[in-house]
Every structure is written in structure tokens, then in C-alpha cells.
């Protein structure tokens, strides 16, 4: 990769993304709800956790490989599904290629900009993420499309409450990228020529359709049509979760659990995995950081299902903290989106390499030869750090 495009940390990738993207596109990735209390806590809580390193004990090579939902992955980091990858012309396909190149799996959003078939064609470890949107028949049809496309797991995301007014203002998402929109957005787009140029000779702007909401291979509804249908769908019940899990029959992850009682109900519904998550601070502001909720949930159900975590992971040492606190693996969101925005597929690979390097140094410092040796004894957990919800 050209040296000037390489970045050393996720924070630098974010600075590059901010510089390169039109302001609205950048803000759509920052996202988060209301005052941003949860999104800040997700990140800052990791800084409150310390390490208890050994001075001697590291081995020459450190083992990071594990499995997530039946898939071998080279490290305990997978791609969390996010719906705004149209910031890059190759979007989810670029992310899937990067994940495959670094030996890991990818959650693919049902609000993705690329058809699932194009994504599964370049990464054979794709978990398709579904929202409870439309009738049971429509949900089933989408699920069957994912199965036919080769998805190896299903993620059901239910933690979305539709009211996220942001104190710093929500970004404008245009309905269509037609000429009128381009003229309206011109002042912010014209200052970002390299971004616009990346969309090709015809200066093709990003498509704003969501092809994976279609039950077959057609273009799919616009973002706002799909969003409207979603807002109009009654939220699912635990019976719905159990029903969908049964229909799928394979590896099934429920995304967005922060309470112990919900984690236990997820086990009863037959899921194979959960992720302790608050949607990256995009749901109810004031929900504690995911890492604070992890230990109680891992203790309650970690011997029955796989417990993952997402929210606030920005470096490899965060991954090590999460694994030591009880996560099997983590899912990353904004970290790879900054990489994608900064430098496309190579930028996502760059972020995954930062994660790998950081995990390796933390293991070395802790005197461990494998992520599987990590325990809470390796972490300095301040009093009053953890949150046990729903017991
Ligand atoms: C811009 C953006 C879009 C997202 N879109 C989705 C989505 O479509 N489906 C979903 O399950 N989660 C979505 N998420 C949540 C992520 O999967 C993940 O839970 C979150 O980003 C983790 O926090 P982090 O960004 O601090 O890593 C989105 C998050 C962001 C920031």
C-alpha cells in the first residue's frame, strides 16, 4: 500500500475519513443517539480498564485463532454489520474482501448497499443480518435468499427504537442522488474531489437503494421506503425470535443484549450466540457501555452459547480486554468504517492489521501465548466498573 495512505491507528483513520468525506457522509458514520452518553461510554470505559502484565513469560509466537459461530477466524475480531457502506464505491464488497484477506468473518447488514450475492462471492464467512421488517413471509423470503446466497449464519438485530435526535444534528440523507440533490449538496461535495472521483469516470454518486430488502435479486426499495416499512412493523416478541431461529436452523446470533434476563431468554429461544451491544450507542442513550455489561452476561450464559461483544473497540488491546472479561470475540463497527472511508479495501485491511498487532503486543506484555489463556486476573477492573442489568 502507498505509504502515504497507510495509517497507524484507528484514530488517524477517523481523521482521514473526516477530511475525505462530505460532511453529511462523515456524520452518518459518527451517528449515535441524543447526547452521545452511551457512545462515549463505549469508548471511554475501555480506557478505564488496566492491565496486569508479567515481566517474563511471553512465548515467541502468540495464538489468536478461534471460531465464531462455527467459522474459523484468524483472530477474535469480526466485522459488525453496518448499513452505510455506500461511502465507498465498492462498499460491502470491499469490506468482505478485506475480511477474507485477513481470515475473518463479516456480518452483512440488510441495509447494505450491495446485493448479498456479490458479498458472499468474495467471502465465504458471511453472516446475514436481518431486521424485523415486514410480514413473516417477507422476512422468510429474505432469509431464504441469504441461505441460497451462501450465508453461513443469521444475525437478528432488534435494538433499534427509531428516535435518535442528535444534539449535534442528524446528517441529511438524500432520498435520491439525482441532479437536483447534487446541486443542493454541491458546496460540501465539491470540496471533496478525491472522494467523488473514486465513484468513477462518470462521477457516479452512491446508490441509495437497499438491495437486500428485496426478496430476490431486483434493485430493492430506496433507503426511505425500507425505513418507513420498518417503522410500520410491530416489534418482534420472544416467540418471533424462536420462530425465526427455527426457520433458519443454523447458526443464529441475537444482536443487542445488555441484560442478564434477556440473555437467558435468548438461550431459551434457542440462539447459538448473542452479542452484548447497544448498537454502538445508536439506540437508547444512557444504556451503559457494552463492556460494563459483559461480565455478568458471560457468567450467566457463556457456558451455553457464544457471547460476543461490540461497541467501542478501537485497538487490539480493547479486544484483549473484552476477551479477558468473557467475550469469545468482538465485532467492530466504526473502526473499519473509518478505514473504508480513508482508503477503501486496503484501509479495512489496515484496520484489521492494527487490531492484530495490538492483540499481539497485549498478549506479549501480559506474558500469554494465546488469547485462550486470558482471564479477568489479567485486567485491572476498577470498583463500580461493571453493570449487572436484569437480575
Ligand atoms: C453507521 C452505522 C451503521 C450501522 N448499521 C447497522 C445495521 O445496519 N445493522 C446492525 O445490526 N447494526 C448496525 N450498526 C451497529 C454496529 O453493527 C455495531 O453494533 C456498532 O457499530 C458497534 O460499535 P462501534 O462502532 O463502536 O464498534 C451500525 C453502526 C454504525 C456506526
Amino acid at each position: 500500500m502507498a505509504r502515504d495512505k497507510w495509517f497507524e491507528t484507528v484514530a488517524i483513520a477517523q481523521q482521514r475519513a473526516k477530511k475525505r468525506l462530505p460532511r453529511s457522509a462523515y456524520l452518518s458514520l459518527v451517528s449515535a443517539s441524543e447526547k452521545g452518553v452511551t457512545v462515549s461510554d463505549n469508548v471511554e470505559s475501555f480506557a478505564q480498564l488496566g492491565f496486569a502484565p508479567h515481566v517474563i513469560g511471553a512465548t515467541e509466537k502468540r495464538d489468536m485463532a478461534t471460531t465464531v459461530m462455527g467459522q474459523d477466524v484468524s483472530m477474535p475480531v469480526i466485522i459488525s454489520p453496518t448499513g452505510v457502506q455506500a461511502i465507498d464505491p465498492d462498499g460491502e464488497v470491499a469490506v468482505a474482501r478485506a475480511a477474507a484477506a485477513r481470515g475473518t468473518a463479516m456480518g452483512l447488514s440488510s441495509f447494505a448497499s450491495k446485493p448479498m450475492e456479490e458479498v458472499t462471492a468474495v467471502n465465504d464467512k458471511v453472516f446475514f443480518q436481518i431486521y424485523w421488517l415486514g410480514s413473516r413471509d417477507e422476512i422468510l423470503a429474505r432469509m431464504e435468499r441469504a441461505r441460497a446466497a451462501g450465508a453461513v449464519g443469521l444475525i437478528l438485530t432488534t435494538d433499534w427504537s427509531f428516535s435518535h435526535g442528535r444534539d449535534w444534528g442528524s446528517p441529511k440523507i438524500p432520498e435520491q442522488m439525482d441532479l437536483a440533490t447534487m446541486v443542493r449538496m454541491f458546496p460540501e461535495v465539491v470540496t471533496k474531489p478525491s472522494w467523488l472521483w473514486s465513484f468513477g469516470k462518470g462521477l457516479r454518486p452512491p446508490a441509495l437503494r437497499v438491495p437486500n430488502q428485496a426478496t430476490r435479486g431486483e434493485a430493492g426499495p430506496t433507503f426511505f421506503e425500507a425505513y418507513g416499512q420498518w417503522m410500520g412493523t410491530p416489534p418482534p416478541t420472544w416467540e418471533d425470535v424462536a420462530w425465526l431461529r427455527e426457520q433458519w436452523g443454523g447458526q443464529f446470533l441475537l444482536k443487542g443484549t445488555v441484560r442478564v434476563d434477556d440473555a437467558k431468554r435468548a438461550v431459551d429461544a434457542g440462539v447459538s450466540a448473542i452479542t452484548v451491544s447497544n448498537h454502538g450507542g445508536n439506540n437508547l442513550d444512557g444504556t451503559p457501555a457494552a463492556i460494563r455489561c459483559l461480565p455478568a452476561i458471560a457468567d450467566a450464559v457463556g457456558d451455553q452459547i457464544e457471547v460476543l461483544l461490540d461497541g467501542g473497540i478501537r485497538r487490539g488491546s480493547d479486544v484483549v480486554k473484552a476477551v479477558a472479561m468473557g467475550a469469545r470475540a468482538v465485532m467492530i463497527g466504526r473502526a473499519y468504517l473509518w478505514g473504508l472511508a480513508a482508503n477503501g479495501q486496503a484501509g479495512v485491511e489496515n484496520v484489521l492489521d492494527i487490531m492484530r498487532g495490538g492483540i499481539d503486543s497485549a498478549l506479549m506484555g501480559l506474558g500469554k501465548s494465546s488469547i485462550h489463556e486470558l482471564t479477568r486476573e489479567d485486567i485491572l477492573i476498577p470498583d463500580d466498573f461493571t453493570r449487572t442489568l436484569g437480575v
Side-chain angles (χ1 to χ4, degrees), residues 28-29 31 80-84 109 111 129 131 157 255 277 279-280 282 310-314 331-334 337:
S28 74
L29 303 189
S31 61
S80 207
T82 65
V84 197
S109 170
F111 272 68
Q129 178 263 319
Y131 282 118
T157 304
K255 182 167 180 283
S277 165
H279 213 114
N282 284 298
D310 68 84
I313 302 283
R314 298 292 182 272
M331 309 210 292
I332 55 171
R334 291 178 187 81
L337 288 173

Short mmCIF file of all heavy atoms in Angstrom, two decimals, residues 28-29 31 80-84 109 111 129 131 157 255 277 279-280 282 310-314 331-334 337, ligand 1:
data_model
loop_
_atom_site.label_atom_id
_atom_site.label_comp_id
_atom_site.label_asym_id
_atom_site.label_seq_id
_atom_site.Cartn_x
_atom_site.Cartn_y
_atom_site.Cartn_z
N SER A 28 -22.88 10.67 9.12
CA SER A 28 -23.71 9.46 9.15
C SER A 28 -22.92 8.29 9.76
O SER A 28 -23.51 7.36 10.30
CB SER A 28 -24.23 9.11 7.75
OG SER A 28 -23.19 8.59 6.97
N LEU A 29 -21.61 8.34 9.68
CA LEU A 29 -20.82 7.29 10.32
C LEU A 29 -20.61 7.57 11.80
O LEU A 29 -20.57 6.65 12.62
CB LEU A 29 -19.44 7.16 9.65
CG LEU A 29 -19.42 6.89 8.15
CD1 LEU A 29 -18.00 6.59 7.71
CD2 LEU A 29 -20.32 5.73 7.78
N SER A 31 -22.74 8.96 13.76
CA SER A 31 -24.08 8.56 14.26
C SER A 31 -24.20 8.69 15.78
O SER A 31 -23.71 9.65 16.34
CB SER A 31 -24.45 7.18 13.74
OG SER A 31 -23.55 6.20 14.16
N SER A 80 -18.78 -6.15 12.19
CA SER A 80 -20.18 -5.97 12.61
C SER A 80 -20.97 -5.40 11.42
O SER A 80 -20.43 -4.61 10.64
CB SER A 80 -20.23 -4.99 13.79
OG SER A 80 -21.35 -5.25 14.59
N PRO A 81 -22.23 -5.80 11.28
CA PRO A 81 -23.00 -5.27 10.14
C PRO A 81 -23.27 -3.78 10.29
O PRO A 81 -23.70 -3.32 11.35
CB PRO A 81 -24.32 -6.05 10.22
CG PRO A 81 -24.42 -6.53 11.63
CD PRO A 81 -23.02 -6.71 12.13
N THR A 82 -22.99 -3.01 9.25
CA THR A 82 -23.34 -1.59 9.26
C THR A 82 -23.94 -1.24 7.90
O THR A 82 -23.57 -1.82 6.88
CB THR A 82 -22.14 -0.66 9.53
OG1 THR A 82 -21.21 -0.78 8.47
CG2 THR A 82 -21.47 -0.97 10.86
N GLY A 83 -24.83 -0.26 7.92
CA GLY A 83 -25.62 -0.02 6.72
C GLY A 83 -25.21 1.17 5.87
O GLY A 83 -25.95 1.56 4.99
N VAL A 84 -24.05 1.75 6.10
CA VAL A 84 -23.76 2.99 5.36
C VAL A 84 -22.51 2.86 4.50
O VAL A 84 -21.80 3.83 4.28
CB VAL A 84 -23.61 4.18 6.34
CG1 VAL A 84 -23.74 5.51 5.60
CG2 VAL A 84 -24.64 4.13 7.44
N SER A 109 -25.18 -6.19 6.66
CA SER A 109 -26.44 -5.53 7.02
C SER A 109 -27.52 -5.72 5.96
O SER A 109 -27.23 -5.71 4.75
CB SER A 109 -26.18 -4.03 7.19
OG SER A 109 -27.41 -3.34 7.31
N PHE A 111 -29.41 -3.44 5.41
CA PHE A 111 -29.43 -2.10 4.82
C PHE A 111 -28.13 -1.82 4.05
O PHE A 111 -27.75 -0.67 3.86
CB PHE A 111 -29.69 -1.03 5.88
CG PHE A 111 -31.17 -0.79 6.10
CD1 PHE A 111 -31.96 -1.77 6.68
CD2 PHE A 111 -31.78 0.39 5.70
CE1 PHE A 111 -33.33 -1.58 6.86
CE2 PHE A 111 -33.15 0.60 5.88
CZ PHE A 111 -33.93 -0.40 6.46
N GLN A 129 -27.42 -10.16 8.33
CA GLN A 129 -28.14 -9.50 9.44
C GLN A 129 -29.51 -9.06 8.98
O GLN A 129 -29.67 -8.39 7.96
CB GLN A 129 -27.33 -8.31 9.95
CG GLN A 129 -28.01 -7.54 11.07
CD GLN A 129 -28.74 -6.30 10.58
OE1 GLN A 129 -28.23 -5.60 9.71
NE2 GLN A 129 -29.94 -6.05 11.10
N TYR A 131 -33.33 -7.30 10.05
CA TYR A 131 -34.17 -6.54 10.97
C TYR A 131 -35.57 -7.12 10.89
O TYR A 131 -35.95 -7.70 9.86
CB TYR A 131 -34.22 -5.06 10.59
CG TYR A 131 -33.00 -4.26 10.97
CD1 TYR A 131 -32.20 -3.65 10.00
CD2 TYR A 131 -32.65 -4.07 12.31
CE1 TYR A 131 -31.10 -2.89 10.34
CE2 TYR A 131 -31.54 -3.32 12.66
CZ TYR A 131 -30.76 -2.73 11.67
OH TYR A 131 -29.68 -1.98 12.03
N THR A 157 -31.11 -8.35 14.55
CA THR A 157 -30.89 -7.13 15.34
C THR A 157 -32.25 -6.56 15.71
O THR A 157 -33.07 -6.28 14.83
CB THR A 157 -30.10 -6.09 14.52
OG1 THR A 157 -28.88 -6.68 14.09
CG2 THR A 157 -29.79 -4.85 15.35
N LYS A 255 -28.54 -9.92 18.30
CA LYS A 255 -27.65 -8.77 18.49
C LYS A 255 -28.33 -7.72 19.36
O LYS A 255 -29.48 -7.36 19.09
CB LYS A 255 -27.28 -8.17 17.12
CG LYS A 255 -26.32 -7.01 17.16
CD LYS A 255 -25.80 -6.72 15.75
CE LYS A 255 -24.83 -5.55 15.74
NZ LYS A 255 -25.49 -4.26 15.84
N SER A 277 -24.30 -5.63 23.35
CA SER A 277 -24.19 -4.50 22.42
C SER A 277 -25.29 -3.48 22.69
O SER A 277 -26.38 -3.84 23.13
CB SER A 277 -24.36 -5.05 20.99
OG SER A 277 -24.61 -4.02 20.05
N HIS A 279 -25.82 -1.23 20.06
CA HIS A 279 -25.89 -0.71 18.69
C HIS A 279 -24.91 0.46 18.51
O HIS A 279 -25.21 1.44 17.84
CB HIS A 279 -27.32 -0.30 18.36
CG HIS A 279 -27.72 -0.51 16.93
ND1 HIS A 279 -28.67 -1.40 16.53
CD2 HIS A 279 -27.28 0.07 15.78
CE1 HIS A 279 -28.81 -1.37 15.22
NE2 HIS A 279 -27.97 -0.48 14.73
N GLY A 280 -23.77 0.35 19.17
CA GLY A 280 -22.78 1.41 19.03
C GLY A 280 -23.29 2.76 19.53
O GLY A 280 -22.94 3.81 19.00
N ASN A 282 -26.30 3.77 19.35
CA ASN A 282 -27.33 4.28 18.43
C ASN A 282 -28.75 3.97 18.89
O ASN A 282 -29.70 4.27 18.18
CB ASN A 282 -27.14 3.66 17.04
CG ASN A 282 -25.99 4.28 16.29
OD1 ASN A 282 -26.00 5.48 16.01
ND2 ASN A 282 -24.98 3.50 15.99
N ASP A 310 -19.83 -6.02 21.08
CA ASP A 310 -19.45 -4.95 20.17
C ASP A 310 -19.79 -3.61 20.80
O ASP A 310 -20.71 -3.51 21.61
CB ASP A 310 -20.11 -5.11 18.79
CG ASP A 310 -21.61 -4.91 18.81
OD1 ASP A 310 -22.05 -3.74 18.74
OD2 ASP A 310 -22.35 -5.89 18.90
N GLY A 311 -19.00 -2.60 20.42
CA GLY A 311 -19.19 -1.25 20.95
C GLY A 311 -17.91 -0.72 21.55
O GLY A 311 -17.46 -1.20 22.61
N GLY A 312 -17.29 0.24 20.87
CA GLY A 312 -16.15 0.95 21.44
C GLY A 312 -14.79 0.36 21.16
O GLY A 312 -13.78 0.89 21.63
N ILE A 313 -14.71 -0.71 20.37
CA ILE A 313 -13.40 -1.32 20.08
C ILE A 313 -12.65 -0.44 19.08
O ILE A 313 -13.11 -0.22 17.96
CB ILE A 313 -13.57 -2.74 19.48
CG1 ILE A 313 -14.35 -3.65 20.43
CG2 ILE A 313 -12.22 -3.33 19.07
CD1 ILE A 313 -13.60 -4.19 21.61
N ARG A 314 -11.51 0.09 19.50
CA ARG A 314 -10.72 0.96 18.62
C ARG A 314 -9.28 0.50 18.48
O ARG A 314 -8.51 1.08 17.73
CB ARG A 314 -10.72 2.41 19.17
CG ARG A 314 -12.11 3.04 19.24
CD ARG A 314 -12.71 3.30 17.86
NE ARG A 314 -14.00 3.94 17.95
CZ ARG A 314 -15.18 3.29 18.05
NH1 ARG A 314 -15.21 1.96 18.06
NH2 ARG A 314 -16.31 3.96 18.14
N MET A 331 -17.01 -7.73 17.71
CA MET A 331 -17.38 -7.25 16.38
C MET A 331 -17.01 -5.76 16.34
O MET A 331 -17.26 -5.03 17.31
CB MET A 331 -18.87 -7.42 16.14
CG MET A 331 -19.38 -8.83 16.45
SD MET A 331 -20.80 -9.30 15.43
CE MET A 331 -22.05 -8.22 16.02
N ILE A 332 -16.44 -5.33 15.24
CA ILE A 332 -16.08 -3.91 15.12
C ILE A 332 -17.00 -3.21 14.13
O ILE A 332 -17.43 -3.80 13.14
CB ILE A 332 -14.59 -3.69 14.74
CG1 ILE A 332 -14.22 -4.44 13.44
CG2 ILE A 332 -13.68 -4.13 15.88
CD1 ILE A 332 -12.84 -4.07 12.90
N GLY A 333 -17.31 -1.94 14.42
CA GLY A 333 -18.18 -1.15 13.56
C GLY A 333 -17.44 0.05 13.00
O GLY A 333 -16.79 -0.02 11.94
N ARG A 334 -17.46 1.16 13.74
CA ARG A 334 -16.87 2.39 13.20
C ARG A 334 -15.40 2.22 12.84
O ARG A 334 -14.94 2.83 11.87
CB ARG A 334 -17.04 3.54 14.19
CG ARG A 334 -18.50 3.99 14.34
CD ARG A 334 -18.61 5.09 15.37
NE ARG A 334 -19.98 5.46 15.67
CZ ARG A 334 -20.77 4.78 16.52
NH1 ARG A 334 -20.33 3.70 17.12
NH2 ARG A 334 -21.99 5.21 16.75
N LEU A 337 -15.24 1.20 9.42
CA LEU A 337 -15.86 2.21 8.53
C LEU A 337 -14.89 3.37 8.30
O LEU A 337 -14.81 3.91 7.19
CB LEU A 337 -17.16 2.73 9.14
CG LEU A 337 -18.34 1.74 9.12
CD1 LEU A 337 -19.53 2.31 9.90
CD2 LEU A 337 -18.75 1.40 7.68
C1 LIG B 1 -23.02 3.97 10.73
C2 LIG B 1 -23.50 2.75 11.42
C3 LIG B 1 -24.45 1.92 10.81
C4 LIG B 1 -24.90 0.76 11.46
N1 LIG B 1 -25.78 -0.06 10.82
C5 LIG B 1 -26.16 -1.22 11.41
C6 LIG B 1 -27.00 -2.14 10.73
O1 LIG B 1 -27.44 -1.90 9.61
N2 LIG B 1 -27.34 -3.28 11.39
C7 LIG B 1 -26.89 -3.59 12.65
O2 LIG B 1 -27.20 -4.66 13.18
N3 LIG B 1 -26.06 -2.75 13.29
C8 LIG B 1 -25.69 -1.59 12.72
N4 LIG B 1 -24.82 -0.74 13.36
C9 LIG B 1 -24.27 -1.14 14.67
C10 LIG B 1 -22.97 -1.93 14.51
O3 LIG B 1 -23.20 -3.20 13.96
C11 LIG B 1 -22.27 -2.12 15.85
O4 LIG B 1 -23.20 -2.62 16.79
C12 LIG B 1 -21.63 -0.84 16.39
O5 LIG B 1 -21.13 -0.04 15.35
C13 LIG B 1 -20.50 -1.20 17.35
O6 LIG B 1 -19.94 -0.06 17.91
P1 LIG B 1 -18.59 0.62 17.35
O7 LIG B 1 -18.97 1.39 16.15
O8 LIG B 1 -18.14 1.45 18.49
O9 LIG B 1 -17.62 -0.51 17.03
C14 LIG B 1 -24.39 0.43 12.74
C15 LIG B 1 -23.44 1.26 13.34
C16 LIG B 1 -22.99 2.40 12.70
C17 LIG B 1 -21.95 3.26 13.37
#
